[in-house]
């Protein structure tokens, strides 16, 4: 499979005044009013509300291995790995599989009190799920959204890229909705986080092993 950078069409972010604020507001109000059955989640991604079920067993295994390892690595830094919390940016809402932020999320509230402000999130992690639309969400649409929000590090753990690979994306350019630096590391080799509170954290075979 080609590298992620080859799969993502160039996107130029518009100024806030040109971003279709009416549609954003409609989606925002609709998302806030949603009452989903247990086991589903809703996100606002690139002008659409996307509803998806919680992950399969393998997905849960990877997410929980990552969270335990991240918390151990972060130690007493004041940062921890969080999950099942809305990350908000300009009337967009995402629920990453994991994100790294301060231990006390009350320090980085969003304006509506529905989650946390993306400006306080230091790293996001998504574990890819099977299916074309699911893969495009994590590899392409969320990649652009997280870059627009200026989240410093985006990590994708992808069972479905050849025999599996970890992508570490850094240096976001919000105006171009892209990450300038990308490293693809095949399973079996440590993928090391290069910056931020999780600097030096390695995603190796003990985490991604089946």
């Amino acid at each position: 499979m080609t590298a992620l950078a080859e799969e993502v069409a160039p996107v130029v972010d518009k100024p806030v005044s040109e971003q279709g604020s009416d549609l954003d507001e409609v989606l925002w109000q609709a998302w806030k009013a949603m009452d989903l059955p247990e086991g589903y989640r809703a996100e606002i991604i690139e002008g659409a509300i996307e509803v998806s079920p919680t992950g399969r067993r393998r997905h849960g295994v990877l997410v929980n291995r990552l969270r335990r390892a991240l918390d151990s690595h972060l130690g007493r830094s004041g940062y921890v790995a969080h999950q099942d919390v809305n990350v908000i940016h300009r009337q967009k809402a995402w629920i990453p599989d994991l994100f790294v932020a301060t231990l006390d999320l009350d320090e980085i509230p969003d304006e509506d009190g529905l989650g946390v402000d993306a400006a306080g999130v230091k790293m996001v992690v998504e574990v890819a799920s099977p299916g074309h639309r699911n893969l495009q969400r994590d590899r392409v649409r969320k990649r652009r959204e997280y870059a627009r929000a200026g989240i410093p590090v985006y990590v994708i753990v992808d069972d479905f890229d050849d025999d599996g690979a970890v992508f570490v994306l850094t240096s976001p350019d919000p105006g171009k909705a892209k990450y300038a630096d990308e490293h693809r590391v095949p399973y079996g080799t440590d993928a090391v986080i290069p910056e931020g509170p999780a600097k030096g954290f390695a995603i190796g075979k003990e985490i991604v092993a089946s």
Side-chain angles (χ1 to χ4, degrees):
M1 181 175 291
T2 56
L4 283 179
E6 298 176 6
E7 297 181 19
V8 182
V11 171
V12 177
D13 211 14
K14 296 179 181 180
V16 175
S17 61
E18 299 177 15
Q19 287 180 354
S21 58
D22 289 345
L23 175 59
D24 288 344
E25 180 64 22
V26 168
L27 289 171
W28 181 244
Q29 296 302 328
W31 176 81
K32 289 197 295 183
M34 294 183 77
D35 184 14
L36 294 176
E38 186 176 353
Y40 288 85
R41 63 183 185 177
E43 302 172 282
I44 304 174
I45 305 172
E46 294 202 323
I49 295 176
E50 297 195 19
V51 177
S52 57
T54 54
R56 301 181 182 185
R57 180 189 57 79
R58 167 68 174 169
H59 184 275
V61 166
L62 288 175
V63 170
N64 283 289
R65 285 177 184 169
L66 283 162
R67 181 173 182 175
R68 290 191 297 270
L70 263 172
D71 281 343
S72 176
H73 178 84
L74 291 165
R76 298 183 179 180
S77 66
Y79 290 88
V80 297
H82 299 274
Q83 60 189 130
D84 300 324
V85 179
N86 299 316
V87 173
I88 309 294
H89 176 70
R90 293 183 182 174
Q91 295 186 314
K92 305 296 189 297
W94 315 302
I95 308 175
D97 289 323
L98 291 173
F99 66 90
V100 173
T102 55
L103 176 62
D104 184 0
L105 292 181
D106 285 339
E107 296 178 4
I108 53 170
D110 73 293
E111 291 184 1
D112 290 286
L114 298 173
V116 300
D117 191 316
V121 173
K122 304 304 182 183
M123 183 172 84
V124 288
V125 181
E126 298 285 3
V127 174
S129 297
H132 178 74
R133 183 167 180 78
N134 291 333
L135 291 173
Q136 289 299 296
R137 180 183 64 233
D138 293 335
R139 293 172 177 172
V140 180
R141 297 191 300 279
K142 278 195 167 182
R143 171 191 174 120
R144 290 192 293 238
E145 290 282 55
Y146 292 149
R148 286 189 185 100
I151 294 175
V153 182
Y154 178 28
V155 176
I156 307 172
V157 180
D158 193 340
D159 274 353
F160 309 97
D161 183 284
D162 292 335
D163 293 325
V166 177
F167 290 85
V168 180
L169 311 173
T170 57
S171 301
D173 184 334
K176 294 182 179 179
K178 65 184 290 185
Y179 283 92
D181 294 324
E182 171 193 328
H183 296 278
R184 176 188 180 276
V185 182
Y187 281 6
T189 301
D190 285 354
V192 181
I193 306 305
E195 62 182 73
K199 181 177 181 180
F201 176 67
I203 302 173
K205 59 184 179 180
E206 70 282 356
I207 291 176
V208 300
S210 299

